[in-house]
């Protein structure tokens, strides 16, 4: 069974930094693109960033470009999201999600349970 | 304002059929990019319900079906059950946004 387990969430002050991690198991991690998707409390889903299986190519939503960095370690089956210059509007549950197949419009067929990031003074 | 538009809420009685629309534009659905649907039960992570407009992952009941028409997609749920009460999101890709997957704003389904 595919399992995705996020960690690293917490309370951080505006302007601060936080690093999220996602530990993957149950599939050949390096073969699949991965993304981070967030959801502000009581709001809808927002794609944040994605990275190809090789780790060579990554993309970002305009709302986080220049502040967030996605990375992966295929030897450890982990996906990370380094978040800098955090703002109140970054407060959300952050989900790690696996793409079902390799395509620009691929669906996310497995999701972690989410980790909550709260940006507040 | 989401790139993909969904009705905020829909409702139906047990056993009835409901549909949820997802309206896009020429840079996403109209450009031929696939649409996928997710179900999010209260307090849980989203779950893939339909992918590539019409395909159901293993384990998803055939009461759930998807379709496409022009720059829109729809999710239909037949034989409505109380356990179907959830938020539903459509998702696609938008070529006008850098590398961007896009989601609809979500639709709250209430089973009366």
């Amino acid at each position: 069974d595919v399992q995705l387990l996020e960690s690293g969430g917490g309370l951080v002050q505006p302007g601060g930094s936080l690093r999220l991690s996602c530990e993957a198991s149950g599939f050949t991690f390096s073969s699949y693109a991965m993304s981070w998707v967030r959801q502000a409390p009581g709001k809808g889903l927002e794609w944040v960033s994605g990275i190809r299986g090789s780790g060579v190519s990554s993309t970002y939503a305009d709302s986080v470009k220049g502040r967030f960095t996605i990375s992966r370690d295929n030897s450890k089956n982990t996906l990370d999201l380094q978040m800098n210059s955090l703002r109140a509007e970054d407060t959300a549950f952050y989900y790690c999600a696996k793409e079902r197949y390799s395509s620009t419009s691929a669906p996310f067929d497995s999701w972690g349970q989410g980790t909550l990031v709260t940006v507040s003074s | 304002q989401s790139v993909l538009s969904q009705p905020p809420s829909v409702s139906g009685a047990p056993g009835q059929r409901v549909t949820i629309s997802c309206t896009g534009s020429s840079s996403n659905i109209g450009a031929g990019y696939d649409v996928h649907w997710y179900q999010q039960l209260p307090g849980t992570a989203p779950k893939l319900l339909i992918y590539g407009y019409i395909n159901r992952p293993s384990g998803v009941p055939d009461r759930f079906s998807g379709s496409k028409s022009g720059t829109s997609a729809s999710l239909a749920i037949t034989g409505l059950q109380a356990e179907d009460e959830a938020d539903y999101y459509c998702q696609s890709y938008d070529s006008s946004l850098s590398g961007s997957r896009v989601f609809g704003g979500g639709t709250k389904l209430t089973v009366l």
Side-chain angles (χ1 to χ4, degrees):
Chain A
D1 270 13
V2 172
Q3 289 198 354
L4 300 171
L5 185 62
E6 302 97 336
S7 61
L11 175 64
V12 60
Q13 293 188 336
S17 299
L18 209 57
R19 189 176 185 91
L20 306 183
S21 290
C22 171
E23 186 175 331
S25 62
F27 64 103
T28 304
F29 183 67
S30 60
S31 296
Y32 293 90
M34 301 289 294
S35 280
W36 287 96
V37 177
R38 69 184 180 184
Q39 184 172 36
K43 303 297 184 182
L45 301 172
E46 180 190 15
W47 175 82
V48 172
S49 180
I51 187 168
R52 309 315 304 173
S54 63
V56 169
S57 174
S58 57
T59 51
Y60 299 89
D62 287 343
S63 58
V64 306
K65 198 172 294 183
R67 300 188 299 123
F68 290 11
T69 302
I70 192 171
S71 61
R72 64 191 296 160
D73 185 336
N74 287 341
S75 68
K76 296 181 180 178
N77 290 356
T78 56
L79 175 74
D80 289 342
L81 186 68
Q82 177 66 42
M83 305 185 295
N84 299 330
S85 303
L86 283 161
R87 307 166 180 167
E89 54 264 36
D90 295 319
T91 294
F93 287 93
Y94 284 73
Y95 294 100
C96 165
K98 167 188 168 291
E99 290 188 7
R100 186 176 179 88
Y101 43 76
S102 181
S103 166
T104 51
S105 58
F108 303 114
D109 65 351
S110 296
W111 298 66
Q113 86 290 345
T115 187
L116 178 61
V117 173
T118 303
V119 184
S120 175
S121 54
Chain B
Q1 192 79 359
S2 301
V3 172
L4 303 177
S5 297
Q6 299 180 233
S9 63
V10 296
S11 62
Q16 285 190 332
R17 178 181 187 270
V18 297
T19 61
I20 299 172
S21 62
C22 175
T23 302
S25 66
S26 58
S27 60
N28 42 70
I29 299 175
Y33 294 108
D34 281 345
V35 170
H36 320 297
W37 291 91
Y38 301 87
Q39 178 193 58
Q40 187 175 33
L41 298 170
T44 69
K47 168 191 168 185
L48 181 62
L49 201 61
I50 298 285
Y51 67 96
Y53 287 105
I54 61 171
N55 303 292
R56 286 186 304 276
S58 173
V60 174
D62 59 7
R63 300 187 297 106
F64 295 90
S65 63
S67 63
K68 175 190 179 183
S69 177
T71 57
S72 294
S74 292
L75 171 71
I77 309 172
T78 58
L80 207 55
Q81 299 179 4
E83 67 207 49
D84 298 333
E85 187 160 293
D87 293 322
Y88 292 85
Y89 295 90
C90 61
Q91 179 239 319
S92 186
Y93 177 88
D94 194 290
S95 59
S96 69
L97 303 169
S98 55
S100 197
R101 275 73 163 152
V102 290
F103 286 93
T107 299
K108 170 66 178 178
L109 168 62
T110 300
V111 181
L112 302 171

